[in-house]
Amino acid sequence: MAVREILTFDHPILRQKARKVARVDASVVRLLDDLAETMYAAPGAGLAAPQIGVPLRVCVVKGDDNQHWSLVNPVLVRWEGSQVGPEGCLSLPGWVGEVERYETVWVRALNRKGKEIKVKASGFTARAFQHEIDHLDGILFTDRLTSLETLKRVEELEAGELEAVRG
Ligand code: CO
């Protein structure tokens, strides 16, 4: 396991559609471990493989109690409701903006053992899932801002906005 360097917004890999993983082998497990360690070190709510320079459909999302999901080839299979809230990105440090997301999502993926899992998440965690899956399609939260005026420096935020999803 290793903490990897997180690429910033200007890196072209963050704008590419990541490739599907054909088989969950030892290299993919190692990638998941590096993603988790890098996410906890940041710290962030999630991290996607393209953010550490690997163009594969692999990401991690933090849950409660220092648990996290390891997701390979994740797909949103169902969604419900909507929420609007502050969001940032580990690849754009220091900035937060308002983004609309589904309130509840169901995600299908392979876990680190290559077994299919289905996860249901709401609220903050659901935002993190959507943020990370966007990364796999080359989409950044700044593409989804409700308005450009909501993009602010972290220093300008008020207390309630500090709970931003950063992934
Ligand atoms: Co991000």
Side-chain angles (χ1 to χ4, degrees), residues 51 89-90 131 135 167:
Q51 292 178 278
C89 182
L90 295 173
H131 182 108
H135 271 303

Side-chain angles (χ1 to χ4, degrees), residues 10-71:
D10 48 351
H11 201 290
I13 205 170
L14 290 173
R15 286 306 194 174
Q16 289 170 19
K17 208 171 153 70
R19 291 193 314 271
K20 256 181 106 168
V21 170
R23 196 163 50 93
V24 183
D25 59 15
S27 72
V28 175
V29 171
R30 207 153 47 230
L31 173 61
L32 284 164
D33 288 343
D34 284 358
L35 282 169
E37 195 168 335
T38 308
M39 171 185 72
Y40 285 118
L47 192 66
Q51 292 178 278
I52 59 167
V54 180
L56 290 174
R57 303 189 77 79
V58 175
C59 65
V60 293
V61 172
K62 204 176 162 314
D64 300 327
D65 306 326
N66 279 335
Q67 301 284 329
H68 67 271
W69 286 280
S70 295
L71 306 167

Side-chain angles (χ1 to χ4, degrees), residues 67-88:
Q67 301 284 329
H68 67 271
W69 286 280
S70 295
L71 306 167
V72 177
N73 300 336
V75 183
L76 280 190
V77 289
R78 202 180 140 195
W79 45 86
E80 236 173 57
S82 71
Q83 53 172 322
V84 175
E87 208 162 303

Side-chain angles (χ1 to χ4, degrees), residues 39 44-48 51 59-63 69 71 76 83 86-88 101-103 105 107 121-135 164-167:
M39 171 185 72
L47 192 66
Q51 292 178 278
C59 65
V60 293
V61 172
K62 204 176 162 314
W69 286 280
L71 306 167
L76 280 190
Q83 53 172 322
E87 208 162 303
R101 298 286 188 184
Y102 300 122
E103 171 61 25
V105 294
V107 176
S122 294
F124 187 92
T125 310
R127 301 180 68 82
F129 274 108
Q130 291 167 83
H131 182 108
E132 300 317 324
I133 292 174
D134 267 356
H135 271 303
V165 167
R166 294 194 318 134

